[in-house]
Amino acid sequence: LRVDWVSVREKKEKWMREYLKLQTVKTSVLTSQEYSSFKESNKYWLPSYSLFYTLKRKNNLAGWVDWPETKELDQAAKDEKLSSIQETKQYQALTRVDWVSVREKKEKWMREYLKLQTVKTSVLTSQEYSSFKESNKYWLPSYSLFYTLKRKNNLAGWVDWPETKELDLAAKDGKLSSIQETKQYQALTKEYAEAMEFYQFQQYCCDLQLSAAKKYAESKGVWLKGDVPFLCSGDSADVWVHRDLFQQGYSAGAPPDMYSKDGQDWGLPLYNWSAMDLDNFTWWKQRLQVASKYYTLYRIDHIVGFYRVWAVPKGKKASEGGYQPQDKALWIPQGERILRIMLDASKMLPIGEDLGSIPKEVYLNLQKLGICGTRVLRWERMWENKEQGQPFIPVADYIPDSMSTVSTHDSETLPLWWLLKQDEAKAYCQHRRWSYRVQDLKGQPPKEYQYHLENQNQKIVGKTMPVPYLQDILREANTSSSLFHIHLLSEYLALVPPTTDEEGLIHWDPNLERVNIPGTVQSSNWSYRMRPSISTINQHQVLKDLMLKSRESVQADISPLPERKPHVYERQYSTQLPTKLRVLPGRSYPLGATWDGAGVNFAVFSENGYKAYLCLFETPESKTESHRILMPEYDDFVHHCYLPDLRPGQLYGYRIEGDWDPLNGLRFNSNKVLLDPYAKSIGRDLQWHDSLFPYNIQSPSPHKYLEMNTEDNSSFCPLAAVVDNSFTWGNDHPPNVPWHRTVIYEAHVKALSFQHPDVPEHIRGTYAGLCHESIIAHLKKLGVTAIELEPIHHHVDEKPILDKGLVNHWGYNTLSFFAPDLRYCATRSVLGAVHEFKTMVRVLHSHGIEVILDVVYNHTAEGNHYGAMFNLKGCDNLAYYKTPEGDPAYYFDYTGCGNSLNVRHPRVLQLIMDSLRYWIQEMHVDGFRFDLASALARQFHDVDKLSAFFDIIHQDPVISRVKLIAEPWDCSSGGYQVGNFPVLWTEWNGRYRDSIRGFWNGKGVSLGEFATRVTGSSDLYTAESGRSALSSINFVTCHDGFNLLDLVSYNEKHNDDNGENNNDGANDNHSYNHGCEGSTDDSGINEFRWRQRANFVATLFLSLGVPMILSGDELSKTQNGNNNTYCQDNEITWLDWDLYDDEDEFLQFTSKMIKLRKSHAVLNRRRHLKGEVNGVKDVTWYMPEGHEPSYDDWHNTTKQALGFVMDGDAIVDLSHTGQVHKGETILVLVNAQFFDVNFKLPAHHSGKHWQLLISTDRALKNQCGTSVFQPSSSFTLKDHSISIFHLYAPINQSRANLFRSVNLRKSQDSV
């Protein structure tokens, strides 16, 4: 049943010894070239291995410690003061470096050193050592634990460690993302702390030496260039700890190419870019930051791998692999995204290793990023020019953004290439007008080089390329126009070959000069050592003279070329434009600026403007445009052109020529640079100035809006920036949470994280801050499924507000319908907002949280006829805005903000639809809340649910599939349209808000009205109109009005801070201060207020429909009585995360209510209540006395106590598999009166009892989840409180039900 290794090994060894005695073996195998070569190439370990086992057999398999030979050798080493049983000079004689042996000796010495008392008391306790460990704590402990465990497990791979299995199990059971988070991991670090100290000290020594080397080099004017490998070993600390960052089912490699005809499998795991992207590639950033301590430049190994990598599935051949990503369209966006992050992560200058099979697009992208590529002389040819023999490219023509070299560590040396790749060498000779020849070394090679010359590699022993040729190649390579050039010392050593009389500086066998053969695993790889020592090289005058001559020749060659300008190493898009730009016709669609990878297409709509100019700005500080280009084409009322010389990041605007005739609605003014209506990024925000107004604002005339302002606004106007839409979305997909499972959290980007102590200060109040792990943890703990963000379209702070020292905090004053607001971007860069917003969405999606945007398409920031001109007014006022018929000098204003968009015009509808689709398809948002949506439905004047706006959305295959939420009112007559929007739409149910507030705050709301709102507002969202309870967005508070704490703390608004004499904001808030206006120390009032807030939260999550809570309500946030905080970007609106006990308890209560809702199917119905299902009522209402309410009970506003049972057996909803939902039955008791009420608990047809689950009466806190009440018993419900019960079967009842179930199953089986 098990393998008997001992017996099998004995038999094998016995058989092999008999085999070795055969004469044929002795004469053929033992004398063969293969056997001799094997022994020669392994002589650095094979003799000691065979001697060890010979002595072990001689000593009857005893351990070597007990051998007499060991004692004899040790004594001899001690007498001769040697460090081992072999002389150290033996290492100097080796052709290759014996890394294993050297490393063992170094480690042994260091362990002895670490035991010294002086080391323990001086080094290990030093401040420098402590600082090193502290600054590297994000990787050093895991690294040292990894190697400690590896040593403990006899160098086995971590996959086979018992500790790994234990840690993985603990992480899985605890649902933790990393083994580092487990208690077992912490226990291991404590258990092996002493052993770990060795590896930490080892790294400390490395750090000291490398840092000292860099410092010394810089003192001599030398920069060190390091090499950062693209991949890392699968058996490494990085992979062991961060397994989520690697794909271990694949290994990286290369397809068949010039290096390997069969392809290469490097055996190293691939990166999981999607996982790395979740924390913005922190692992790579940290890696580069460490490297930057030691290097000034660094080589980015296999740089094409960041764009795409050859993925070899485990168990497959390298040639059977394929590229990741599979979609070529994703290669450039992915690579550019990652490399930009790497460029920003350190100050080192990068050099890309872009050799092998590299797509042309990658080369172009590296040039765009300003990353130097690698140019190897022998491979730089015009490969596509086959007619002329694929000629070599002269080194003087290499692009400056490059690093040139004659060979690499992965290629043959020049002499070896010359001998082995004769076709290539002969082609190069033709390029240089040389004749190809080989130079024989003088004399006979020493014995160790006299192989049996049976193959090509061995026949070249004693040969090399002509030294003059080599010298000339090295000299010419120095004239390369590349920014950097590598001088390979090994190539210069070949200028002094060996002879019989002279030892020379290289081996007789040129194969021994090679560093690595890619795609192979052999002992000779990476063990190369130069034949001479460093001291020999330093003292070798012939070599010095040859090198100096090479450099002097270079100086002579390039000195007559003063016109060569030094290349400036840049990483960002160039802001310098050529004087003349190529202007091509371009296309009229899509509108806006579109980067296609080769240039930018510009298209702007203007039906009544007769000329359009594209204005290009070089920097945000530019006072005027550097280029003003007449857009040559005009089709379908669209001016357009295409500029192949432009790139993303370019700042631009438009000037439109047309008639200035305000009385007829025409306001064209070519003195104004206009923002593109389709601007996807704001490259420069506006600065308020009189020139931003189209009319003479300083005129004393009451009709000054008719006077044209000719002052140029180019120094103050907002500018758009061309964007590159590429982004690594990875496996991002919409969470698609169904409406009946949705819980919405309305929040402001800045206010949410600006004061959070765990969010890094530099990203607080930004898109990056919103997706920080601490914010995500709060949202998930709370249980929300969607975050509804107040406007993030870039907006304008109105000048009157700024003049008061305030800002437009809410942002309902849109400047661009496509551009994310720069105010919420942590990087504050031209293109940073777009990328940062996308990252936020992707992170939220990864945690199952949807993103809903509050969008303002009903008006713009340009105001009325006295307003400024930013974009739409100057592009085509009559087309974009709704004006009174017969009096187009003015504007319809359904919003109270000065204007209304003309949704009758097809181009305006296109603008809105294009914007919505952009945010869905490019930015991956999951839905929209339409501010003052009634204004969008006013096709003529009245609100029309059959308007073109609804028709277009309903038929759009993209927009119609996301969440659509209407604010169903505007500020004009007939605008209140709660319940009147068509199918597909949900609505903010203002009727629900007012009724629930009125009920709990004693405003005379009847039980009938309360019950109607709690059960889904079926009077508003009728089944006959195709709508359901899910059409109702239920809320008690929102950004507009009192928040929850203020709702129970203030009778009146207190908006003095807004600077409008408390005249702004609503006066009727259905609020109640419970005996004191504002905050108080009265414990009775505070307890009352706590209970009332809990009542609102409980009611909200017990109601059928879609619940929405306002951010901060769960944290007991106050706005000090301000019910219109639109201009308060300060502590009034910023969330306070420092919670007192009462506040923390309220947070826990809110979370429990959301959890209760999610876990009870009766609260997640997708349909309206039916009344009765299969003889069971879906909801049954009870008065405190136990009977059902009468007509008078329903409508008598003095009666404010009610109970209801929602039965889990009466659900008609089906699951996605067609099964009928069954849920728990719950009983809810409500008392909004000012006195306690005794409720008679109803009986249920199941015969079960009632167990108290949750109560807003904190006196019952300890009874929740424990106290059980019999049907018909009395329950005292405190004034202004809610208690929630579920059915509960006592032990004996449960046992009876179990027996009944078993007997039924037996009877069915017998049948």
Side-chain angles (χ1 to χ4, degrees), residues 8 474 478 502 970:
V8 170
L474 295 176
N478 281 295
E502 299 288 339
D970 61 24

Side-chain angles (χ1 to χ4, degrees), residues 156 175 387 390 396 406 476 773 781 785 877 964 1035 1244:
K175 298 181 179 180
E387 294 180 358
Q390 298 171 322
V406 295
E476 183 185 79
E773 58 185 14
K781 179 181 178 181
T785 66
N877 183 68
L964 302 173
F1035 67 104
H1244 189 261

Side-chain angles (χ1 to χ4, degrees), residues 409-635:
H409 55 252
D410 279 338
S411 71
E412 305 91 348
T413 60
L414 274 176
L416 188 59
W417 169 72
W418 189 269
L419 297 170
L420 294 182
K421 302 289 180 70
Q422 293 188 13
D423 289 342
E424 294 180 15
K426 289 176 181 178
Y428 184 77
C429 286
Q430 187 176 0
H431 165 66
R432 297 297 306 274
R433 300 182 182 276
W434 295 341
S435 61
Y436 177 81
R437 58 190 180 88
V438 174
Q439 177 178 325
D440 291 316
L441 301 181
K442 296 179 181 179
Q444 289 295 318
K447 288 185 178 180
E448 63 263 29
Y449 297 110
Q450 295 176 8
Y451 312 129
H452 293 278
L453 307 180
E454 297 176 354
N455 58 52
Q456 181 67 21
N457 283 15
Q458 294 164 342
K459 290 178 181 179
I460 62 176
V461 173
K463 300 180 184 297
T464 187
M465 69 182 298
V467 170
Y469 284 9
L470 173 60
Q471 188 173 358
D472 201 69
I473 291 175
L474 295 176
R475 182 168 56 242
E476 183 185 79
N478 281 295
T479 68
S480 158
S481 59
S482 299
L483 182 60
F484 299 104
H485 178 71
I486 291 182
H487 298 270
L488 286 99
L489 184 57
S490 58
E491 303 287 13
Y492 283 94
L493 297 181
L495 294 173
V496 187
T499 66
T500 302
D501 300 325
E502 299 288 339
E503 189 175 77
L505 299 179
I506 58 173
H507 294 281
W508 283 79
D509 183 356
N511 290 294
L512 297 178
E513 299 294 333
R514 184 160 188 175
V515 176
N516 178 52
I517 301 178
T520 67
V521 179
Q522 50 187 309
S523 60
S524 60
N525 282 352
W526 303 109
S527 59
Y528 167 76
R529 58 179 307 202
M530 293 179 293
R531 189 178 186 189
S533 66
I534 293 295
S535 59
T536 300
I537 292 173
N538 281 339
Q539 298 165 12
H540 203 291
Q541 194 58 45
V542 174
L543 178 64
K544 284 184 176 182
D545 292 342
L546 288 170
M547 294 182 72
L548 185 61
K549 183 178 179 180
S550 172
R551 298 187 65 181
E552 287 174 346
S553 300
V554 172
Q555 292 293 330
D557 288 343
I558 65 173
S559 57
L561 301 175
E563 68 275 9
R564 276 192 182 178
K565 296 181 179 179
H567 177 72
V568 178
Y569 194 83
E570 295 178 351
R571 297 179 178 177
Q572 301 299 326
Y573 298 110
S574 174
T575 58
Q576 299 297 319
L577 293 172
T579 304
K580 293 184 179 180
L581 294 170
R582 292 173 289 168
V583 181
L584 306 179
R587 305 179 305 279
S588 61
Y589 182 85
L591 292 170
T594 306
W595 158 252
D596 62 7
V600 184
N601 190 81
F602 295 92
V604 59
F605 162 75
S606 181
E607 183 175 344
N608 297 296
Y610 46 82
K611 280 186 181 179
Y613 295 88
L614 173 64
C615 303
L616 303 178
F617 291 73
E618 292 198 342
T619 69
E621 294 76 28
S622 298
K623 298 299 182 182
T624 188
E625 61 264 43
S626 60
H627 296 71
R628 186 183 300 183
I629 301 166
L630 176 65
M631 302 178 77
E633 301 296 322
Y634 187 57
D635 298 299

Side-chain angles (χ1 to χ4, degrees), residues 211-276:
S211 299
K214 181 183 180 184
K215 183 177 180 181
Y216 177 79
E218 289 180 341
S219 72
K220 301 295 182 182
V222 175
W223 285 355
L224 295 188
K225 173 172 167 279
D227 197 325
V228 176
F230 171 58
L231 298 162
C232 60
S233 169
D235 190 28
S236 65
D238 286 289
V239 178
W240 182 58
V241 175
H242 304 290
R243 266 167 272 168
D244 58 315
L245 302 183
F246 298 87
Q247 301 181 58
Q248 297 178 66
Y250 293 87
S251 59
D257 60 8
M258 66 179 73
Y259 288 113
S260 174
K261 65 178 182 178
D262 298 321
Q264 303 174 42
D265 183 353
W266 302 328
L268 307 174
L270 299 183
Y271 293 116
N272 183 346
W273 293 123
S274 298
M276 286 190 166

Side-chain angles (χ1 to χ4, degrees), residues 756-773:
H756 199 296
D758 296 333
V759 175
E761 190 170 349
H762 69 283
I763 64 170
R764 291 178 187 172
T766 67
Y767 305 119
L770 191 146
C771 65
H772 186 266
E773 58 185 14

Side-chain angles (χ1 to χ4, degrees), residues 678 793 817-819 852-857 908-931 936 949-950 952-954 956 958-960 962-965 985:
Y678 278 71
H793 289 170
F817 296 121
F818 294 81
I852 298 172
L853 300 187
D854 195 334
V855 290
V856 188
Y857 295 113
V908 178
L909 283 172
Q910 180 188 358
L911 173 71
I912 297 174
M913 300 305 147
D914 285 349
S915 170
L916 293 171
R917 277 190 291 270
Y918 174 77
W919 286 100
I920 297 168
Q921 295 177 312
E922 284 293 339
M923 310 297 262
H924 287 208
V925 303
D926 306 285
F928 305 94
R929 179 262 188 190
F930 292 80
D931 179 64
L936 297 173
F949 174 74
F950 291 127
I952 291 177
I953 283 184
H954 284 191
D956 190 287
V958 175
I959 305 172
S960 62
V962 301
K963 288 182 165 65
L964 302 173
I965 305 171
W985 287 81

